[in-house]
């Protein structure tokens, strides 16, 4: 299956060099990270970043996360502070994005940050994207590799399904976390702007967080409106599916019927928050809607609840 898609390639020295050449020519490529697959381009290049926005159909006011190979390269672009020092010791590299004040001499193209004073920065841990970052001499702007508004891709084939042969896809297998990075604003009292792979409780072991409220989430331009839509309606807090529809349940005992799908973030001894794959699977099985049982209230379900809630916004 995989070999029949010529633009899907596996990580190797030779293929990494091929990706490097493309990025240096300001082309865009899809790369795996530990969160979701990213659509990556040279963050110094207006041309590359313009391609990312155009290909995704992304709102031009929604700034991008910039990915760095290490602390040294990150510090060239942003001013760090004590909160950053504390958190980065424990969570970098990893699935966390920091909003920090940009340095005056930052070379990141304005197109990627909308001329804001701040920049969203992350050092990913995934080995495949790290191997690319190490052989290029620029950071990568990389939003999720899906059309804006639709489900985030957690497998190479998800990217292919949406974009076919438009760009090269580096297949590093399913992503570890299956959900986006946690975005935390550190420019004043730390506040979570987007729930993600690292739960707030885990971060609170190291710093105290300001309660998130409507106002602070508006600080993150990309959080407004419909997102993560599988293309069929989603209904929350339902006991049963609608006719022709499917049900996502968090209780294994309830999942015997063909139209019932069990979801647990703890499968085979590891945490995976990949609710996106399940929504895609249900859509591909031609169900016409997704009903979702009441989502458990524990910390690990918080980011999943956030994605399902936003997927359920009907326009
Ligand atoms: P994504 O849409 O998955 O690429 O996520 C990036 C998120 O980070 C979006 O919600 C953006 O609005 C947010 N973001 C990026 N840059 C900034 C910034 N400078 N200040 C606040 N939020 C940002
Ligand atoms: Mg996205």
């Amino acid at each position: 299956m995989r070999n029949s898609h010529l633009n899907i390639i596996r990580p190797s020295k030779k293929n990494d060099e091929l990706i490097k050449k493309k990025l240096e020519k300001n082309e865009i490529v899809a790369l795996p990270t530990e969160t979701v697959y990213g659509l990556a381009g040279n963050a110094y290049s207006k041309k590359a970043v313009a391609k990312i926005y155009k290909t995704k159909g992304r709102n031009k006011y929604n700034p991008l996360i910039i990915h760095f190979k290490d602390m040294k390269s990150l510090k060239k672009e942003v001013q760090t502070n004590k909160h950053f020092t504390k958190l980065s010791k424990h969570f970098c590299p990893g699935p966390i994005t920091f909003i920090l004040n940009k340095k005056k001499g930052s070379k990141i193209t304005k197109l990627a940050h909308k001329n804001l004073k701040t920049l969203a920065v992350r050092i990913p841990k995934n080995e495949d994207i790290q191997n690319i970052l190490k052989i290029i001499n620029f950071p990568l702007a990389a939003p999720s590799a899906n059309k804006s508004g639709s489900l985030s891709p957690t497998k190479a084939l998800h990217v292919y399904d949406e974009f076919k042969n438009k760009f090269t896809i580096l297949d590093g297998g399913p992503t570890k976390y299956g959900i986006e990075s946690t975005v935390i604003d550190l420019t004043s009292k730390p506040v979570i702007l987007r729930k993600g792979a690292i739960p707030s409780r885990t971060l609170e072991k190291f710093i105290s967080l300001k309660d998130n409220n409507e106002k602070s989430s508006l600080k993150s331009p990309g959080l407004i409106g419909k997102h993560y839509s599988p293309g069929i309606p989603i209904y929350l807090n339902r006991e049963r599916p609608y006719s022709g529809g499917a049900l996502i349940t968090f209780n294994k005992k309830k999942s015997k019927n063909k139209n019932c799908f069990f979801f647990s973030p703890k499968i085979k001894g590891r945490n995976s928050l990949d609710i996106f794959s399940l929504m895609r699977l249900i859509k591909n099985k031609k169900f016409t809607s997704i009903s979702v049982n009441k989502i458990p209230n524990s910390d690990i379900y918080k980011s999943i609840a956030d994605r399902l809630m936003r997927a359920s916004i009907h326009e």
Side-chain angles (χ1 to χ4, degrees):
M1 180 81 165
R2 186 170 285 145
N3 293 338
S4 63
H5 306 311
L6 292 178
N7 61 324
I8 304 187
I9 58 175
R10 300 281 294 177
S12 68
K13 261 218 159 113
K14 186 170 144 243
N15 285 343
D16 289 359
E17 284 299 322
L18 192 98
I19 299 268
K20 173 186 175 185
K21 288 213 178 82
K22 287 182 184 289
L23 290 167
E24 284 173 343
K25 282 194 279 182
N26 296 324
E27 287 178 32
I28 55 176
V29 296
L31 300 178
T33 80
E34 67 271 33
T35 57
V36 301
Y37 274 72
L39 188 54
N42 179 353
Y44 293 154
S45 157
K46 189 175 167 189
K47 198 170 155 197
V49 170
K51 278 185 194 163
I52 295 177
Y53 277 93
K54 185 161 182 241
T55 308
K56 277 184 63 75
R58 183 172 171 110
N59 177 330
K60 63 179 185 192
Y61 299 107
N62 188 3
L64 303 179
I65 297 173
I66 312 301
H67 296 69
F68 296 86
K69 64 175 168 206
D70 57 17
M71 216 37 103
K72 192 173 160 209
S73 54
L74 178 149
K75 285 184 179 172
K76 281 188 192 156
E77 311 293 339
V78 286
Q79 297 162 24
T80 57
N81 56 29
K82 62 174 197 248
H83 302 304
F84 176 81
T85 308
K86 239 184 205 170
L87 289 179
S88 61
K89 238 187 241 163
H90 295 277
F91 300 105
C92 281
I96 183 162
T97 297
F98 304 98
I99 309 295
L100 289 164
N101 286 317
K102 220 168 48 212
K103 271 195 175 160
K104 268 228 169 82
S106 165
K107 289 203 291 182
I108 306 294
T109 171
K110 284 188 184 122
L111 199 57
H113 56 65
K114 315 291 118 201
N115 237 349
L116 295 167
K117 283 195 190 126
T118 54
L119 194 66
V121 295
R122 172 157 108 86
I123 303 177
K125 188 164 185 174
N126 174 285
E127 205 186 331
D128 301 321
I129 187 170
Q130 268 297 342
N131 286 339
I132 303 294
L133 283 165
K134 279 181 196 142
I135 56 171
I136 55 179
N137 54 11
F138 44 84
L140 291 172
S144 51
N146 57 293
K147 297 209 174 112
S148 268
S150 75
L151 293 172
S152 303
T154 56
K155 294 177 183 160
L157 273 177
H158 296 167
V159 184
Y160 183 84
D161 283 347
E162 242 176 290
F163 294 105
K164 302 291 184 274
N165 293 307
K166 268 202 172 149
F167 44 76
T168 299
I169 302 167
L170 189 66
D171 182 359
T175 66
K176 179 173 177 195
Y177 291 92
I179 203 158
E180 289 84 354
S181 60
T182 303
V183 178
I184 183 164
D185 183 357
L186 298 181
T187 56
S188 48
K189 178 149 196 219
V191 60
I192 296 207
L193 299 184
R194 175 177 75 186
K195 294 186 176 70
I198 302 179
S200 10
R201 286 248 182 96
T202 309
L203 297 175
E204 275 172 332
K205 288 182 189 150
F206 303 96
I207 52 165
S208 64
L209 291 172
K210 192 163 98 182
D211 263 353
N212 198 344
N213 54 34
E214 282 297 300
K215 254 195 201 146
S216 60
S217 46
L218 286 180
K219 275 186 81 177
S220 206
L223 295 183
I224 308 156
K226 192 179 168 82
H227 224 120
Y228 315 114
S229 166
I232 50 176
I234 303 222
Y235 303 99
L236 300 186
N237 289 317
R238 282 186 50 83
E239 273 298 309
R240 287 196 178 77
Y242 284 107
S243 160
L247 179 77
I248 294 181
T249 178
F250 306 96
N251 178 347
K252 198 162 192 180
K253 284 186 209 137
K254 284 197 193 165
S255 63
K256 295 217 173 72
N257 293 339
K258 262 203 336 228
N259 56 356
C260 277
F261 296 83
F262 171 61
F263 180 84
S264 166
K266 287 188 186 139
I267 280 185
K268 293 180 197 150
R270 69 181 194 96
N271 289 350
S272 168
L273 305 173
D274 191 1
I275 194 71
F276 297 128
S277 272
L278 181 56
M279 289 198 265
R280 251 175 225 276
L281 176 92
I282 293 173
K283 165 83 190 301
N284 291 342
K285 284 183 180 284
K286 310 278 182 239
F287 288 102
T288 52
S289 68
I290 304 176
S291 295
V292 182
N293 270 178
K294 190 169 186 306
I295 304 166
N297 203 16
S298 61
D299 216 36
I300 193 159
Y301 287 92
K302 292 264 169 19
S303 52
I304 293 162
D306 171 85
R307 302 304 187 268
L308 285 170
M309 193 271 290
R310 289 203 267 147
S312 75
I313 298 174
H314 299 256
E315 272 167 7

